[in-house]
Protein backbone atom coordinates (compact mmCIF):
# COMPACT_ATOMS: atom_id res chain seq x y z
CA UNK A 1 0.00 0.00 0.00
CA UNK A 2 1.11 3.58 -0.72
CA UNK A 3 -0.29 6.99 0.15
CA UNK A 4 -2.23 9.08 -2.35
CA UNK A 5 -4.62 12.02 -2.61
CA UNK A 6 -8.15 10.98 -3.59
CA UNK A 7 -11.40 12.73 -4.48
CA UNK A 8 -14.57 10.97 -3.31
CA UNK A 9 -16.92 13.85 -4.15
CA UNK A 10 -16.49 16.94 -6.29
CA UNK A 11 -16.06 20.26 -4.57
CA UNK A 12 -13.50 22.68 -3.16
CA UNK A 13 -9.94 21.92 -2.07
CA UNK A 14 -11.15 20.31 1.16
CA UNK A 15 -12.47 17.27 -0.76
CA UNK A 16 -8.86 16.18 -1.33
CA UNK A 17 -8.19 13.34 1.11
CA UNK A 18 -4.87 11.67 2.02
CA UNK A 19 -5.26 7.90 2.24
CA UNK A 20 -3.79 4.51 1.45
CA UNK A 21 -4.24 2.94 -1.98
CA UNK A 22 -3.03 -0.25 -3.59
CA UNK A 23 -0.95 -0.03 -6.76
CA UNK A 24 -0.76 -3.61 -8.02
CA UNK A 25 1.57 -5.09 -10.60
CA UNK A 26 1.99 -3.59 -14.09
CA UNK A 27 0.01 -5.30 -16.81
CA UNK A 28 0.97 -5.49 -20.48
CA UNK A 29 2.18 -2.09 -21.67
CA UNK A 30 2.20 -0.62 -18.14
CA UNK A 31 5.03 0.70 -15.96
CA UNK A 32 5.20 0.93 -12.17
CA UNK A 33 6.91 4.15 -11.11
CA UNK A 34 7.80 5.80 -7.81
CA UNK A 35 7.19 9.54 -7.94
CA UNK A 36 9.93 11.92 -6.85
CA UNK A 37 7.87 15.02 -7.73
CA UNK A 38 4.36 15.77 -9.01
CA UNK A 39 3.29 18.80 -11.02
CA UNK A 40 0.43 21.09 -9.94
CA UNK A 41 -1.75 22.53 -12.73
CA UNK A 42 -4.97 24.50 -12.99
CA UNK A 43 -6.60 21.61 -14.83
CA UNK A 44 -6.30 19.64 -11.58
CA UNK A 45 -8.84 22.00 -10.01
CA UNK A 46 -11.23 21.45 -12.91
CA UNK A 47 -11.31 17.70 -12.29
CA UNK A 48 -11.54 18.19 -8.52
CA UNK A 49 -14.50 20.58 -8.79
CA UNK A 50 -16.30 18.50 -11.42
CA UNK A 51 -16.01 21.13 -14.15
CA UNK A 52 -14.23 18.38 -16.07
CA UNK A 53 -15.65 14.94 -15.21
CA UNK A 54 -13.06 12.34 -14.25
CA UNK A 55 -12.93 9.76 -17.07
CA UNK A 56 -13.56 6.81 -14.74
CA UNK A 57 -15.87 8.57 -12.32
CA UNK A 58 -15.55 8.86 -8.54
CA UNK A 59 -13.46 8.25 -6.54
CA UNK A 60 -10.28 9.16 -8.39
CA UNK A 61 -6.70 10.27 -7.82
CA UNK A 62 -6.12 13.69 -9.44
CA UNK A 63 -2.99 14.97 -11.13
CA UNK A 64 -1.88 14.95 -14.75
CA UNK A 65 1.91 15.00 -14.61
CA UNK A 66 4.82 13.69 -12.63
CA UNK A 67 8.41 12.52 -12.62
CA UNK A 68 10.04 9.59 -10.94
CA UNK A 69 11.92 6.34 -11.23
CA UNK A 70 10.84 3.18 -13.01
CA UNK A 71 10.42 0.28 -10.57
CA UNK A 72 9.10 -2.50 -12.83
CA UNK A 73 7.77 -2.80 -16.36
CA UNK A 74 4.99 -4.91 -17.81
CA UNK A 75 5.06 -7.15 -20.84
CA UNK A 76 5.84 -5.40 -24.11
CA UNK A 77 7.49 -2.30 -22.62
CA UNK A 78 10.89 -1.79 -24.22
CA UNK A 79 11.65 1.94 -24.30
CA UNK A 80 12.08 2.30 -20.52
CA UNK A 81 13.63 -0.01 -17.93
CA UNK A 82 13.91 -0.22 -14.12
CA UNK A 83 16.03 2.62 -12.78
CA UNK A 84 15.26 5.07 -15.60
CA UNK A 85 14.30 8.62 -14.68
CA UNK A 86 11.03 9.34 -16.46
CA UNK A 87 8.32 11.97 -16.74
CA UNK A 88 4.84 12.04 -18.24
CA UNK A 89 1.57 13.87 -18.78
CA UNK A 90 -1.69 11.95 -18.26
CA UNK A 91 -3.69 9.95 -17.50
CA UNK A 92 -5.11 11.12 -14.16
CA UNK A 93 -3.49 9.70 -11.05
CA UNK A 94 -0.20 11.49 -10.36
CA UNK A 95 -1.08 12.62 -6.80
CA UNK A 96 0.34 9.38 -5.39
CA UNK A 97 3.63 8.09 -4.01
CA UNK A 98 3.61 5.33 -6.63
CA UNK A 99 1.39 4.43 -9.58
CA UNK A 100 1.00 2.50 -12.81
CA UNK A 101 1.42 4.50 -16.02
CA UNK A 102 0.83 3.45 -19.63
CA UNK A 103 4.33 2.91 -20.96
CA UNK A 104 3.70 4.81 -24.17
CA UNK A 105 3.09 8.01 -22.15
CA UNK A 106 6.53 7.99 -20.51
CA UNK A 107 9.58 9.85 -21.77
CA UNK A 108 13.09 9.45 -20.38
CA UNK A 109 14.32 12.62 -18.67
CA UNK A 110 17.70 13.65 -20.10
CA UNK A 111 20.73 14.42 -17.96
CA UNK A 112 20.85 18.08 -17.01
CA UNK A 113 17.16 18.29 -16.08
CA UNK A 114 16.31 17.44 -12.46
CA UNK A 115 13.17 15.64 -11.31
CA UNK A 116 11.41 18.71 -9.85
CA UNK A 117 11.95 20.63 -13.07
CA UNK A 118 10.74 17.70 -15.15
CA UNK A 119 7.65 17.15 -13.00
CA UNK A 120 6.69 20.80 -13.15
CA UNK A 121 7.33 21.48 -16.82
CA UNK A 122 5.83 18.63 -18.81
CA UNK A 123 2.22 19.81 -19.04
CA UNK A 124 2.98 23.54 -19.03
CA UNK A 125 6.05 23.26 -21.26
CA UNK A 126 4.48 20.99 -23.85
CA UNK A 127 1.41 23.25 -23.82
CA UNK A 128 3.67 26.21 -24.65
CA UNK A 129 5.31 24.13 -27.37
CA UNK A 130 2.13 23.25 -29.23
CA UNK A 131 0.66 26.75 -28.82
CA UNK A 132 3.74 28.50 -30.22
CA UNK A 133 4.88 25.93 -32.77
CA UNK A 134 1.72 24.21 -33.99
CA UNK A 135 -1.54 26.00 -33.09
CA UNK A 136 0.04 29.16 -34.48
CA UNK A 137 3.59 29.13 -35.87
CA UNK A 138 5.17 32.06 -34.06
CA UNK A 139 8.01 33.83 -35.90
CA UNK A 140 9.87 37.13 -35.74
CA UNK A 141 6.96 38.69 -37.65
CA UNK A 142 4.41 37.72 -34.98
CA UNK A 143 2.78 40.03 -32.46
CA UNK A 144 1.00 38.03 -29.79
CA UNK A 145 -0.96 38.55 -26.59
CA UNK A 146 -0.66 36.01 -23.78
CA UNK A 147 -3.06 36.27 -20.86
CA UNK A 148 -1.87 35.17 -17.40
CA UNK A 149 1.70 35.95 -18.40
CA UNK A 150 3.06 35.23 -14.91
CA UNK A 151 1.44 31.81 -14.74
CA UNK A 152 3.21 28.54 -15.37
CA UNK A 153 2.52 28.35 -19.11
CA UNK A 154 2.87 32.11 -19.49
CA UNK A 155 6.41 32.32 -18.13
CA UNK A 156 7.57 29.50 -20.39
CA UNK A 157 5.77 30.88 -23.43
CA UNK A 158 7.17 34.39 -22.90
CA UNK A 159 10.77 33.16 -22.96
CA UNK A 160 10.19 30.84 -25.89
CA UNK A 161 8.31 33.41 -27.98
CA UNK A 162 10.96 36.05 -27.31
CA UNK A 163 13.62 33.58 -28.48
CA UNK A 164 11.62 33.18 -31.70
CA UNK A 165 11.80 36.95 -32.15
CA UNK A 166 8.12 37.76 -31.61
CA UNK A 167 6.70 40.91 -30.07
CA UNK A 168 5.30 39.47 -26.86
CA UNK A 169 2.51 41.23 -24.92
CA UNK A 170 1.25 39.82 -21.64
CA UNK A 171 -1.46 40.54 -19.09
CA UNK A 172 -1.04 40.16 -15.33
CA UNK A 173 -2.96 41.03 -12.16
CA UNK A 174 -0.33 42.78 -10.03
CA UNK A 175 2.80 44.92 -10.17
CA UNK A 176 4.84 42.02 -8.79
CA UNK A 177 3.62 39.71 -11.55
CA UNK A 178 4.32 42.41 -14.13
CA UNK A 179 8.00 42.47 -13.11
CA UNK A 180 8.10 38.68 -13.27
CA UNK A 181 6.68 38.67 -16.79
CA UNK A 182 9.12 41.36 -17.96
CA UNK A 183 11.97 39.19 -16.73
CA UNK A 184 10.67 36.27 -18.80
CA UNK A 185 10.57 37.66 -22.32
CA UNK A 186 7.53 39.93 -22.40
CA UNK A 187 8.11 43.08 -24.43
CA UNK A 188 5.02 44.78 -22.97
CA UNK A 189 3.09 43.89 -19.82
CA UNK A 190 -0.43 45.09 -19.02
CA UNK A 191 -1.81 45.08 -15.46
CA UNK A 192 -5.47 44.39 -16.19
CA UNK A 193 -6.49 45.63 -12.71
CA UNK A 194 -5.23 49.11 -13.58
CA UNK A 195 -5.58 49.30 -17.36
CA UNK A 196 -8.03 48.28 -20.07
CA UNK A 197 -6.08 45.54 -21.82
CA UNK A 198 -7.95 46.02 -25.12
CA UNK A 199 -7.09 49.72 -25.28
CA UNK A 200 -3.48 49.09 -24.28
CA UNK A 201 -3.04 46.44 -26.97
CA UNK A 202 -4.37 48.89 -29.54
CA UNK A 203 -1.89 51.52 -28.32
CA UNK A 204 1.04 49.09 -28.34
CA UNK A 205 0.26 47.81 -31.85
CA UNK A 206 -0.59 51.19 -33.33
CA UNK A 207 -4.19 50.09 -33.81
CA UNK A 208 -3.26 47.01 -35.85
CA UNK A 209 -3.90 44.36 -33.21
CA UNK A 210 -2.25 40.99 -32.67
CA UNK A 211 -1.80 38.00 -34.93
CA UNK A 212 -2.76 35.61 -32.13
CA UNK A 213 -4.19 35.80 -28.62
CA UNK A 214 -3.52 32.93 -26.21
CA UNK A 215 -6.26 32.88 -23.60
CA UNK A 216 -6.40 30.51 -20.61
CA UNK A 217 -8.58 32.85 -18.54
CA UNK A 218 -11.97 32.39 -20.20
CA UNK A 219 -14.99 34.32 -18.97
CA UNK A 220 -13.17 37.46 -17.77
CA UNK A 221 -11.23 38.00 -21.02
CA UNK A 222 -14.08 37.26 -23.46
CA UNK A 223 -14.95 38.93 -25.77
CA UNK A 224 -12.13 41.39 -25.10
CA UNK A 225 -9.57 38.98 -26.48
CA UNK A 226 -11.29 39.12 -29.87
CA UNK A 227 -10.95 42.91 -29.90
CA UNK A 228 -7.17 42.55 -29.59
CA UNK A 229 -6.85 40.69 -32.91
CA UNK A 230 -6.11 42.02 -36.37
CA UNK A 231 -8.31 40.77 -39.24
CA UNK A 232 -7.86 37.03 -39.82
CA UNK A 233 -6.21 36.72 -36.40
CA UNK A 234 -6.46 33.60 -34.25
CA UNK A 235 -7.96 33.34 -30.77
CA UNK A 236 -6.59 30.26 -29.00
CA UNK A 237 -8.76 29.60 -25.93
CA UNK A 238 -6.93 26.88 -24.01
CA UNK A 239 -8.27 27.29 -20.48
CA UNK A 240 -10.88 28.94 -18.28
CA UNK A 241 -9.36 29.90 -14.93
CA UNK A 242 -12.02 32.61 -14.38
CA UNK A 243 -14.89 30.34 -15.44
CA UNK A 244 -16.26 28.92 -18.68
CA UNK A 245 -17.47 31.03 -21.59
CA UNK A 246 -21.19 30.27 -21.79
CA UNK A 247 -22.33 32.67 -24.52
CA UNK A 248 -19.85 32.21 -27.34
CA UNK A 249 -21.23 33.88 -30.46
CA UNK A 250 -19.82 32.67 -33.79
CA UNK A 251 -21.13 35.84 -35.39
CA UNK A 252 -18.58 37.91 -33.48
CA UNK A 253 -15.78 36.27 -35.47
CA UNK A 254 -17.26 37.74 -38.64
CA UNK A 255 -18.01 41.14 -37.11
CA UNK A 256 -14.53 41.58 -35.68
CA UNK A 257 -12.53 40.74 -38.81
CA UNK A 258 -13.12 37.21 -40.14
CA UNK A 259 -11.33 35.85 -37.10
CA UNK A 260 -10.34 32.26 -36.39
CA UNK A 261 -10.99 30.55 -33.04
CA UNK A 262 -9.77 27.26 -31.60
CA UNK A 263 -10.13 25.39 -28.31
CA UNK A 264 -6.99 23.21 -28.30
CA UNK A 265 -5.89 20.71 -25.68
CA UNK A 266 -2.46 19.23 -25.09
CA UNK A 267 -3.84 15.71 -24.99
CA UNK A 268 -4.92 15.91 -28.63
CA UNK A 269 -1.55 17.31 -29.70
CA UNK A 270 0.39 14.48 -28.01
CA UNK A 271 -2.07 11.64 -28.65
CA UNK A 272 0.35 9.72 -30.86
CA UNK A 273 3.67 8.45 -29.57
CA UNK A 274 5.55 10.28 -32.33
CA UNK A 275 3.89 13.61 -31.49
CA UNK A 276 4.60 13.09 -27.78
CA UNK A 277 8.29 12.44 -28.42
CA UNK A 278 8.60 15.38 -30.82
CA UNK A 279 6.89 17.77 -28.39
CA UNK A 280 8.83 16.58 -25.34
CA UNK A 281 12.19 16.63 -27.17
CA UNK A 282 11.56 20.17 -28.42
CA UNK A 283 10.85 21.21 -24.82
CA UNK A 284 13.90 19.39 -23.45
CA UNK A 285 16.09 21.10 -26.07
CA UNK A 286 15.06 24.66 -25.16
CA UNK A 287 15.39 23.96 -21.45
CA UNK A 288 18.79 22.27 -21.70
CA UNK A 289 20.10 25.07 -23.94
CA UNK A 290 19.00 27.71 -21.45
CA UNK A 291 16.54 29.38 -23.84
CA UNK A 292 13.74 28.57 -21.39
CA UNK A 293 14.34 28.50 -17.64
CA UNK A 294 11.85 26.55 -15.54
CA UNK A 295 11.60 28.11 -12.10
CA UNK A 296 9.95 26.02 -9.40
CA UNK A 297 8.63 28.87 -7.26
CA UNK A 298 6.52 26.83 -4.83
CA UNK A 299 6.84 23.40 -3.22
CA UNK A 300 4.26 21.64 -1.06
CA UNK A 301 4.15 18.20 0.48
CA UNK A 302 1.87 15.96 -1.54
CA UNK A 303 -0.16 15.46 1.65
CA UNK A 304 -0.81 19.23 1.62
CA UNK A 305 -2.37 19.25 -1.86
CA UNK A 306 -5.50 20.98 -0.53
CA UNK A 307 -3.49 24.03 0.53
CA UNK A 308 -1.70 24.03 -2.82
CA UNK A 309 -5.08 24.11 -4.60
CA UNK A 310 -6.28 26.98 -2.39
CA UNK A 311 -3.19 29.02 -3.18
CA UNK A 312 -3.40 28.24 -6.90
CA UNK A 313 -7.06 29.25 -7.16
CA UNK A 314 -6.37 32.30 -5.00
CA UNK A 315 -3.77 33.45 -7.55
CA UNK A 316 -1.07 33.32 -4.85
CA UNK A 317 1.33 31.23 -6.93
CA UNK A 318 3.58 32.14 -9.83
CA UNK A 319 5.37 29.99 -12.34
CA UNK A 320 5.77 26.33 -11.50
CA UNK A 321 4.56 24.51 -8.38
CA UNK A 322 5.43 20.94 -7.44
CA UNK A 323 4.12 18.50 -4.85
CA UNK A 324 6.72 16.31 -3.12
CA UNK A 325 5.64 12.81 -2.01
Amino acid sequence: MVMAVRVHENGGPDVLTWEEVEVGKPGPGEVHIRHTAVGLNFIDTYFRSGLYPAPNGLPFIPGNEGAGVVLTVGEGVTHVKPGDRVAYVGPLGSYAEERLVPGDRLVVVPDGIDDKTAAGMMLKGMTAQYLLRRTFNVTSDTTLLFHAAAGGVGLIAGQWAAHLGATVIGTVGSAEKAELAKAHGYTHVINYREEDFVERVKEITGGKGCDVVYDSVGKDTYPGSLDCLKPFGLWASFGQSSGPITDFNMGLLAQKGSLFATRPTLFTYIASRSDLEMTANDLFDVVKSGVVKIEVNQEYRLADAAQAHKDLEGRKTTGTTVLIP
Side-chain angles (χ1 to χ4, degrees):
M1 302 289 280
V2 300
M3 298 301 292
V5 176
R6 295 182 88 195
V7 175
H8 291 269
E9 61 177 334
N10 295 123
D14 292 338
V15 304
L16 299 172
T17 62
W18 182 241
E19 58 189 68
E20 283 190 329
V21 298
E22 188 168 353
V23 177
K25 295 182 179 180
E30 290 185 324
V31 176
H32 183 183
I33 70 169
R34 173 178 56 81
H35 283 127
T36 51
V38 172
L40 176 74
N41 296 283
F42 223 98
I43 194 173
D44 301 350
T45 72
Y46 298 163
F47 283 109
R48 186 209 70 222
S49 68
L51 180 63
Y52 288 1
N56 297 317
L58 295 165
F60 69 92
I61 299 172
N64 284 276
E65 71 177 340
V69 179
V70 173
L71 299 179
T72 58
V73 302
E75 181 184 351
V77 176
T78 58
H79 64 282
V80 296
K81 62 185 185 302
D84 281 349
R85 295 171 57 239
V86 294
Y88 67 91
V89 172
L92 283 182
S94 67
Y95 283 24
E97 293 176 331
E98 298 177 14
R99 71 169 298 189
L100 301 178
V101 182
D104 69 349
R105 295 293 89 192
L106 292 172
V107 293
V108 175
V109 178
D111 293 339
I113 296 178
D114 63 50
D115 289 6
K116 290 179 183 178
T117 301
M121 78 175 190
M122 297 303 293
L123 192 149
K124 301 178 188 71
M126 291 198 295
T127 296
Q129 194 280 344
Y130 85 73
L131 288 173
L132 299 177
R133 310 306 288 144
R134 299 173 69 191
T135 299
F136 187 97
N137 186 30
V138 172
T139 69
S140 59
D141 294 326
T142 303
T143 298
L144 66 87
L145 173 66
F146 210 104
H147 289 299
V153 179
L155 292 181
I156 296 171
Q159 298 173 78
W160 206 330
H163 172 69
L164 295 171
T167 299
V168 194
I169 307 169
T171 66
V172 297
S174 71
E176 179 185 14
K177 290 184 176 181
E179 291 304 312
L180 191 62
K182 289 176 184 176
H184 288 79
Y186 285 86
T187 319
H188 307 277
V189 182
I190 303 165
N191 185 339
Y192 63 81
R193 297 188 189 279
E194 298 178 352
E195 302 176 286
D196 182 314
F197 72 84
V198 175
E199 291 303 315
R200 279 292 291 131
V201 166
K202 290 179 179 178
E203 290 175 12
I204 292 166
T205 63
K208 294 180 180 180
C210 299
D211 298 285
V212 56
V213 172
Y214 296 109
D215 189 343
S216 64
V217 177
K219 181 178 67 174
D220 289 354
T221 48
Y222 175 82
S225 288
L226 302 182
D227 293 318
C228 295
L229 288 165
K230 62 178 60 171
F232 311 113
L234 173 68
W235 176 50
S237 172
F238 68 101
Q240 48 196 38
S241 61
S242 68
I245 296 168
T246 57
D247 59 348
F248 177 66
N249 178 2
M250 284 286 288
L252 286 180
L253 302 179
Q255 296 170 24
K256 296 179 182 295
S258 297
L259 304 178
F260 294 86
T262 183
R263 184 64 169 85
T265 70
L266 172 62
F267 302 104
T268 307
Y269 278 86
I270 60 171
S272 73
R273 178 71 194 175
S274 60
D275 281 339
L276 170 62
E277 290 180 342
M278 181 273 294
T279 305
N281 288 336
D282 199 12
L283 173 63
F284 290 150
D285 286 346
V286 294
V287 172
K288 286 179 66 178
S289 69
V291 166
V292 171
K293 293 179 173 59
I294 307 295
E295 295 168 357
V296 179
N297 292 337
Q298 296 84 208
E299 292 183 24
Y300 299 80
R301 294 189 311 145
L302 181 58
D304 296 329
Q307 185 61 51
H309 276 225
K310 290 176 184 176
D311 291 348
L312 180 65
E313 292 179 301
R315 302 181 187 275
K316 295 179 180 179
T317 65
T318 58
T320 296
T321 302
V322 296
L323 308 173
I324 307 300

